[in-house]
Amino acid sequence: MNEVDWRTWAEQMATGLARVDAGLRLQWINPALAEWLELGPRSAVGQSLGLWLDEEALAQALRALTEQRPLQWRGMSLVAASGREIMADIALQPFGNSLLLEVHALAAPLSTSSPLSATLRGFAHEVKNPLAGLRGAAQLLQRRVGDEDLQALAGLIIDEADRLGTLANRLLHNDGAAQLGPVNIHQLLERLTDLLQAEPSPPQLRHDYDPSVPDLLGDADRLQQVLLNLARNALEAGANTLTLRTRVEHGLRLGERMLRMALRVDVIDDGAGVPTSLRDTLFQPLVSGRADGTGLGLALSREIAHEHGGELRCTSRPGETVFSLYLPLERAHD
């Protein structure tokens, strides 16, 4: 691969890449890293790494270049042009008389001291006993009924009770830490379909899947909960039809980040829509449009989206409400 081909390839990467000379000054930076550091790719050329790294890190980088050996930093703190701190894993590789930097920005950790998280831990404690009773009743029902369809429904109740029990235990005993692994979003949506079809008055379901969507890195149980929350809200808003849609998006901006590749999951309903008075506070804890609502479902869903480095958005008008869950695909495929 020649120099032109190499740069063309590197500039398409979602991974942050840069090349520095023997004086640790930028020779080249790709758009992904320039975006994180809030720099122009051209204006950054010639700037010193000392603008983003401390003296100890600079000394280590010089030794790696002199000794022609690779170097890795875990959880390194970088400072963007605005002063915003970015946590990242960084790999340095000698490249002749220069160093190639590979930067993987880390998602900001979920704050377990937030009011919502404290509320969720309290809720998790309270829900464990009813869940155990629900599971036990479903087991008895599964053993006593002879109808295979009823046995399957009882098994569905048991599986959901187990999933919620696992979520409750994580919130109580592991500070809410996500359990990350490969997730097939279409499997979660098919599971959601099974749950909705078990409703007393199931909605009409439409599926509009992008078959090219790859697996993402996430917590399957928590993402399943987000999808279930969105679907339940739609049914409670009077929806008769739900459309589940997946798409891959490129060049998506989420807050201060530019994602090269992201997954968008849309849950679309034909219900009454979100009241105008609630649109500005829709995702805040304890805000609900129903007299019997807890106001935790959407707040929890957005918190889960944030801990995955994503976002939850809503557009609504009477007859069409779209909740869009955005999740980065970069971390699973860098």
Side-chain angles (χ1 to χ4, degrees):
M1 182 182 295
N2 62 35
E3 182 76 11
V4 174
D5 290 340
W6 182 88
R7 290 202 178 192
T8 300
W9 167 80
E11 287 176 355
Q12 314 249 346
M13 292 286 289
T15 303
L17 297 171
R19 188 170 171 179
V20 297
D21 61 21
L24 299 187
R25 294 187 175 277
L26 284 173
Q27 293 179 313
W28 170 86
I29 185 172
N30 78 338
L33 184 54
E35 182 74 29
W36 294 338
L37 295 177
E38 301 169 9
L39 300 170
R42 293 184 180 178
S43 62
V45 173
Q47 295 191 28
S48 171
L49 281 187
L51 293 175
W52 308 287
L53 300 177
D54 58 31
E55 292 184 3
E56 181 180 354
L58 290 174
Q60 292 176 0
L62 280 173
R63 283 198 298 271
L65 180 57
T66 302
E67 298 171 8
Q68 288 291 291
R69 60 176 177 80
L71 176 65
Q72 287 192 341
W73 292 316
R74 298 290 185 186
M76 174 65 72
S77 174
L78 300 176
V79 181
S82 65
R84 179 174 57 92
E85 185 179 34
I86 304 165
M87 300 302 294
D89 291 341
I90 304 176
L92 289 79
Q93 181 68 44
F95 199 73
N97 292 325
S98 60
L99 280 175
L100 180 65
L101 277 67
E102 182 178 344
V103 182
H104 296 267
L106 304 176
L110 178 65
S111 172
T112 56
S113 61
S114 70
L116 175 58
S117 294
T119 301
L120 290 177
R121 286 198 295 275
F123 178 76
H125 177 76
E126 294 298 325
V127 81
K128 289 192 68 178
N129 287 337
L131 274 178
L134 178 67
R135 189 184 193 283
Q139 284 180 312
L140 287 175
L141 181 64
Q142 192 177 44
R143 287 198 292 266
R144 291 181 181 179
V145 298
D147 186 282
E148 290 185 358
D149 289 339
L150 292 179
Q151 287 180 341
L153 288 175
L156 195 61
I157 295 172
I158 292 169
D159 290 344
E160 283 301 289
D162 288 343
R163 186 179 64 79
L164 291 175
T166 299
L167 285 173
N169 284 330
R170 288 180 188 170
L171 284 170
L172 288 170
H173 304 301
N174 199 27
D175 291 331
Q179 305 296 305
L180 300 181
V183 175
N184 183 314
I185 196 65
H186 293 144
Q187 289 180 357
L188 298 190
L189 290 170
E190 289 304 302
R191 172 72 174 177
L192 175 65
T193 297
D194 291 341
L195 293 170
L196 295 176
Q197 288 177 339
E199 292 283 328
S201 300
Q204 181 180 355
L205 289 167
R206 297 174 178 169
H207 301 87
D208 182 5
Y209 295 164
D210 180 349
S212 70
V213 172
D215 286 355
L216 61 100
L217 185 64
D219 186 316
D221 284 342
R222 293 195 178 188
L223 293 176
Q224 184 77 77
Q225 190 64 44
V226 172
L227 297 173
L228 185 58
N229 287 346
L230 297 180
R232 294 281 189 205
N233 279 354
L235 297 184
E236 290 164 356
N240 295 309
T241 301
L242 284 182
T243 300
L244 307 176
R245 180 171 64 195
T246 60
R247 293 291 186 270
V248 173
E249 295 220 353
H250 300 274
L252 176 69
R253 179 177 289 278
L254 292 183
E256 297 178 341
R257 297 180 60 201
M258 177 66 77
L259 298 181
R260 298 292 160 183
M261 185 167 66
L263 166 67
R264 189 186 85 233
V265 184
D266 295 325
V267 178
I268 308 167
D269 73 73
D270 62 352
V274 177
T276 303
S277 60
L278 293 182
R279 291 185 183 180
D280 292 338
T281 58
L282 186 61
F283 294 103
Q284 292 182 11
L286 309 181
V287 172
S288 176
R290 307 191 318 276
D292 60 345
T294 63
L296 286 177
L298 287 178
L300 169 62
S301 297
R302 174 168 271 189
E303 187 168 306
I304 292 173
H306 286 173
E307 77 175 349
H308 283 79
E311 182 58 276
L312 183 61
R313 298 174 181 172
C314 175
T315 59
S316 181
R317 59 182 176 83
E320 185 182 74
T321 296
V322 183
F323 279 92
S324 297
L325 174 63
Y326 295 91
L327 297 167
L329 292 171
E330 301 167 357
R331 288 183 293 172
H333 299 279
D334 278 348

